[in-house]
Amino acid sequence: ELYVKDTMAAPASAAPVILKTSEEGQGLRFGTANGAITSSRLTGSRGSGAIVQRGETLSIHLDGTIAAEVRNPEFVVQLRDGRGYVLYGTPTDPADLRIERTASGARVSASVEIVANLGPGDYSFSLGLVDRHGHSVATVLDKLVAALQFSVAPDPRATFHGPVDLQGRWRRP
């Protein structure tokens, strides 16, 4: 399921947006010619697999390339439910991004750990590589929608319902 934000064209003044070929035909991919996510890997604290347990720590490692004119590269990771709704998103902090300059641009890499306090169901991570121009302004260099997919197994001990365990606790007044 696609959302308006995922399919909107960039303003005419921005770098031209191109539809990119997604590997293995999985998900939507778009961006500019100035950057690309070259690899992504999702692993869980209990191993790698498409099924994870509630509360398991998930690690995402991203590698990419950027053109020389990209000044403020940033990876963005979004957790989405099975219908595509964004449940959580986080960008890299500049200090967390490894940048290796090359003659034609640079290689970038970063990792993030996220605790999967989630209800049972299907989820995915959408991945982005952007050139940050300000607090709310960025050029999308590469975006992969539903790039890393996984399922959370049912947990009979769960005391919440819905997609996210916010770890609310009842107390007597």
Side-chain angles (χ1 to χ4, degrees), residues 5 12 15 18 35 39 50 53 58 68 70 80 99 103 141 145 153 158-159 161 163-164 169 173:
K5 184 177 177 184
I18 55 174
S39 72
Q53 302 298 314
L58 304 179
V70 174
R80 295 181 182 220
I99 302 173
L141 304 174
V145 178
T159 59
H161 61 274
V164 180
R169 300 294 174 246

mmCIF file of all heavy atoms in Angstrom, residues 5 12 15 18 35 39 50 53 58 68 70 80 99 103 141 145 153 158-159 161 163-164 169 173:
data_model
loop_
_atom_site.group_PDB
_atom_site.id
_atom_site.type_symbol
_atom_site.label_atom_id
_atom_site.label_comp_id
_atom_site.label_asym_id
_atom_site.label_seq_id
_atom_site.Cartn_x
_atom_site.Cartn_y
_atom_site.Cartn_z
ATOM 1 N N LYS A 5 2.653 10.688 0.492
ATOM 2 C CA LYS A 5 4.001 11.163 0.781
ATOM 3 C C LYS A 5 5.054 10.339 0.034
ATOM 4 O O LYS A 5 6.080 10.871 -0.387
ATOM 5 C CB LYS A 5 4.251 11.106 2.283
ATOM 6 C CG LYS A 5 5.581 11.674 2.694
ATOM 7 C CD LYS A 5 5.735 11.654 4.197
ATOM 8 C CE LYS A 5 7.110 12.155 4.575
ATOM 9 N NZ LYS A 5 7.351 12.080 5.985
ATOM 10 N N ALA A 12 9.943 21.452 -8.666
ATOM 11 C CA ALA A 12 10.757 21.624 -9.865
ATOM 12 C C ALA A 12 12.163 22.123 -9.547
ATOM 13 O O ALA A 12 13.102 21.849 -10.274
ATOM 14 C CB ALA A 12 10.060 22.574 -10.832
ATOM 15 N N ALA A 15 16.431 18.422 -7.111
ATOM 16 C CA ALA A 15 17.066 17.473 -8.026
ATOM 17 C C ALA A 15 15.981 16.569 -8.613
ATOM 18 O O ALA A 15 15.017 16.227 -7.933
ATOM 19 C CB ALA A 15 18.105 16.655 -7.273
ATOM 20 N N ILE A 18 13.972 10.106 -9.749
ATOM 21 C CA ILE A 18 13.864 9.018 -10.713
ATOM 22 C C ILE A 18 13.371 7.768 -10.001
ATOM 23 O O ILE A 18 13.643 7.559 -8.824
ATOM 24 C CB ILE A 18 15.210 8.740 -11.419
ATOM 25 C CG1 ILE A 18 16.323 8.460 -10.387
ATOM 26 C CG2 ILE A 18 15.592 9.878 -12.335
ATOM 27 C CD1 ILE A 18 17.648 8.046 -10.982
ATOM 28 N N GLY A 35 22.919 9.501 -5.050
ATOM 29 C CA GLY A 35 23.157 8.604 -3.926
ATOM 30 C C GLY A 35 22.415 7.304 -4.088
ATOM 31 O O GLY A 35 21.419 7.224 -4.805
ATOM 32 N N SER A 39 23.696 -1.572 0.301
ATOM 33 C CA SER A 39 23.376 -2.816 1.004
ATOM 34 C C SER A 39 22.648 -2.488 2.302
ATOM 35 O O SER A 39 22.837 -1.419 2.889
ATOM 36 C CB SER A 39 24.626 -3.655 1.283
ATOM 37 O OG SER A 39 25.421 -3.066 2.288
ATOM 38 N N ALA A 50 13.230 -14.102 9.408
ATOM 39 C CA ALA A 50 12.093 -13.249 9.094
ATOM 40 C C ALA A 50 11.085 -13.188 10.234
ATOM 41 O O ALA A 50 10.178 -12.379 10.205
ATOM 42 C CB ALA A 50 11.416 -13.755 7.826
ATOM 43 N N GLN A 53 10.867 -12.159 17.915
ATOM 44 C CA GLN A 53 10.063 -12.207 19.132
ATOM 45 C C GLN A 53 9.815 -10.794 19.653
ATOM 46 O O GLN A 53 10.665 -9.914 19.487
ATOM 47 C CB GLN A 53 10.779 -13.022 20.212
ATOM 48 C CG GLN A 53 11.096 -14.446 19.795
ATOM 49 C CD GLN A 53 9.851 -15.250 19.482
ATOM 50 O OE1 GLN A 53 8.885 -15.214 20.223
ATOM 51 N NE2 GLN A 53 9.881 -15.967 18.363
ATOM 52 N N LEU A 58 16.604 -5.539 17.336
ATOM 53 C CA LEU A 58 16.881 -5.662 15.911
ATOM 54 C C LEU A 58 17.996 -4.698 15.543
ATOM 55 O O LEU A 58 18.012 -3.549 15.994
ATOM 56 C CB LEU A 58 15.635 -5.333 15.091
ATOM 57 C CG LEU A 58 14.377 -6.144 15.411
ATOM 58 C CD1 LEU A 58 13.226 -5.689 14.542
ATOM 59 C CD2 LEU A 58 14.646 -7.626 15.230
ATOM 60 N N ALA A 68 29.955 13.643 -4.876
ATOM 61 C CA ALA A 68 30.803 14.633 -4.210
ATOM 62 C C ALA A 68 30.027 15.861 -3.766
ATOM 63 O O ALA A 68 30.362 16.473 -2.752
ATOM 64 C CB ALA A 68 31.943 15.039 -5.139
ATOM 65 N N VAL A 70 27.091 16.060 -2.449
ATOM 66 C CA VAL A 70 26.254 15.825 -1.269
ATOM 67 C C VAL A 70 27.025 16.283 -0.033
ATOM 68 O O VAL A 70 28.112 15.800 0.245
ATOM 69 C CB VAL A 70 25.848 14.338 -1.148
ATOM 70 C CG1 VAL A 70 25.098 14.074 0.143
ATOM 71 C CG2 VAL A 70 25.009 13.934 -2.360
ATOM 72 N N ARG A 80 7.320 0.378 9.632
ATOM 73 C CA ARG A 80 5.944 0.449 9.129
ATOM 74 C C ARG A 80 5.208 -0.841 9.462
ATOM 75 O O ARG A 80 5.802 -1.914 9.479
ATOM 76 C CB ARG A 80 5.930 0.664 7.619
ATOM 77 C CG ARG A 80 6.513 2.009 7.217
ATOM 78 C CD ARG A 80 6.458 2.193 5.723
ATOM 79 N NE ARG A 80 7.051 3.455 5.337
ATOM 80 C CZ ARG A 80 6.561 4.248 4.400
ATOM 81 N NH1 ARG A 80 5.476 3.896 3.731
ATOM 82 N NH2 ARG A 80 7.155 5.376 4.097
ATOM 83 N N ILE A 99 31.856 8.132 7.108
ATOM 84 C CA ILE A 99 32.010 8.662 5.749
ATOM 85 C C ILE A 99 33.446 8.452 5.305
ATOM 86 O O ILE A 99 34.376 8.871 5.980
ATOM 87 C CB ILE A 99 31.655 10.166 5.691
ATOM 88 C CG1 ILE A 99 30.224 10.400 6.169
ATOM 89 C CG2 ILE A 99 31.852 10.699 4.270
ATOM 90 C CD1 ILE A 99 29.850 11.870 6.293
ATOM 91 N N ALA A 103 37.432 9.533 -4.750
ATOM 92 C CA ALA A 103 37.637 10.486 -5.844
ATOM 93 C C ALA A 103 36.314 10.945 -6.448
ATOM 94 O O ALA A 103 36.166 12.092 -6.848
ATOM 95 C CB ALA A 103 38.525 9.863 -6.918
ATOM 96 N N LEU A 141 17.887 11.086 -1.766
ATOM 97 C CA LEU A 141 18.847 10.518 -2.711
ATOM 98 C C LEU A 141 18.440 9.106 -3.105
ATOM 99 O O LEU A 141 18.589 8.700 -4.258
ATOM 100 C CB LEU A 141 20.250 10.507 -2.095
ATOM 101 C CG LEU A 141 20.778 11.864 -1.620
ATOM 102 C CD1 LEU A 141 22.110 11.693 -0.903
ATOM 103 C CD2 LEU A 141 20.888 12.841 -2.775
ATOM 104 N N VAL A 145 11.092 1.543 -0.084
ATOM 105 C CA VAL A 145 9.891 1.322 0.721
ATOM 106 C C VAL A 145 9.737 -0.183 0.929
ATOM 107 O O VAL A 145 9.860 -0.964 -0.013
ATOM 108 C CB VAL A 145 8.646 1.918 0.024
ATOM 109 C CG1 VAL A 145 7.390 1.654 0.839
ATOM 110 C CG2 VAL A 145 8.838 3.417 -0.207
ATOM 111 N N ALA A 153 6.234 -12.797 16.124
ATOM 112 C CA ALA A 153 5.466 -13.970 16.540
ATOM 113 C C ALA A 153 4.527 -13.611 17.693
ATOM 114 O O ALA A 153 4.845 -12.739 18.509
ATOM 115 C CB ALA A 153 6.424 -15.074 16.976
ATOM 116 N N ALA A 158 1.871 -11.439 26.428
ATOM 117 C CA ALA A 158 1.637 -10.013 26.150
ATOM 118 C C ALA A 158 0.380 -9.531 26.864
ATOM 119 O O ALA A 158 -0.644 -10.215 26.881
ATOM 120 C CB ALA A 158 1.508 -9.787 24.647
ATOM 121 N N THR A 159 0.460 -8.340 27.454
ATOM 122 C CA THR A 159 -0.680 -7.761 28.176
ATOM 123 C C THR A 159 -1.164 -6.484 27.506
ATOM 124 O O THR A 159 -1.780 -5.643 28.147
ATOM 125 C CB THR A 159 -0.283 -7.460 29.633
ATOM 126 O OG1 THR A 159 0.821 -6.548 29.624
ATOM 127 C CG2 THR A 159 0.074 -8.743 30.380
ATOM 128 N N HIS A 161 -2.649 -4.680 23.520
ATOM 129 C CA HIS A 161 -3.142 -4.987 22.182
ATOM 130 C C HIS A 161 -2.788 -3.811 21.271
ATOM 131 O O HIS A 161 -2.544 -2.705 21.733
ATOM 132 C CB HIS A 161 -4.645 -5.299 22.175
ATOM 133 C CG HIS A 161 -5.506 -4.183 22.638
ATOM 134 N ND1 HIS A 161 -5.788 -3.970 23.963
ATOM 135 C CD2 HIS A 161 -6.134 -3.206 21.950
ATOM 136 C CE1 HIS A 161 -6.575 -2.926 24.085
ATOM 137 N NE2 HIS A 161 -6.793 -2.426 22.892
ATOM 138 N N PRO A 163 -0.403 -2.565 17.600
ATOM 139 C CA PRO A 163 0.887 -2.866 16.984
ATOM 140 C C PRO A 163 2.099 -2.538 17.841
ATOM 141 O O PRO A 163 3.165 -3.095 17.636
ATOM 142 C CB PRO A 163 0.885 -2.012 15.710
ATOM 143 C CG PRO A 163 -0.017 -0.875 16.023
ATOM 144 C CD PRO A 163 -1.064 -1.425 16.953
ATOM 145 N N VAL A 164 1.967 -1.619 18.820
ATOM 146 C CA VAL A 164 3.129 -1.167 19.579
ATOM 147 C C VAL A 164 2.877 -1.301 21.072
ATOM 148 O O VAL A 164 1.827 -0.908 21.575
ATOM 149 C CB VAL A 164 3.453 0.310 19.253
ATOM 150 C CG1 VAL A 164 4.657 0.797 20.039
ATOM 151 C CG2 VAL A 164 3.699 0.494 17.766
ATOM 152 N N ARG A 169 1.723 1.047 32.314
ATOM 153 C CA ARG A 169 1.518 0.280 33.540
ATOM 154 C C ARG A 169 0.377 0.900 34.349
ATOM 155 O O ARG A 169 0.387 2.100 34.599
ATOM 156 C CB ARG A 169 2.794 0.246 34.411
ATOM 157 C CG ARG A 169 4.004 -0.370 33.732
ATOM 158 C CD ARG A 169 3.797 -1.853 33.468
ATOM 159 N NE ARG A 169 4.892 -2.399 32.710
ATOM 160 C CZ ARG A 169 4.790 -2.870 31.472
ATOM 161 N NH1 ARG A 169 3.653 -2.861 30.850
ATOM 162 N NH2 ARG A 169 5.841 -3.368 30.858
ATOM 163 N N PRO A 173 -4.906 4.438 42.187
ATOM 164 C CA PRO A 173 -4.773 5.848 42.599
ATOM 165 C C PRO A 173 -4.671 6.003 44.116
ATOM 166 O O PRO A 173 -5.032 5.179 44.887
ATOM 167 C CB PRO A 173 -6.017 6.513 42.070
ATOM 168 C CG PRO A 173 -6.934 5.458 41.597
ATOM 169 C CD PRO A 173 -6.174 4.172 41.575
#
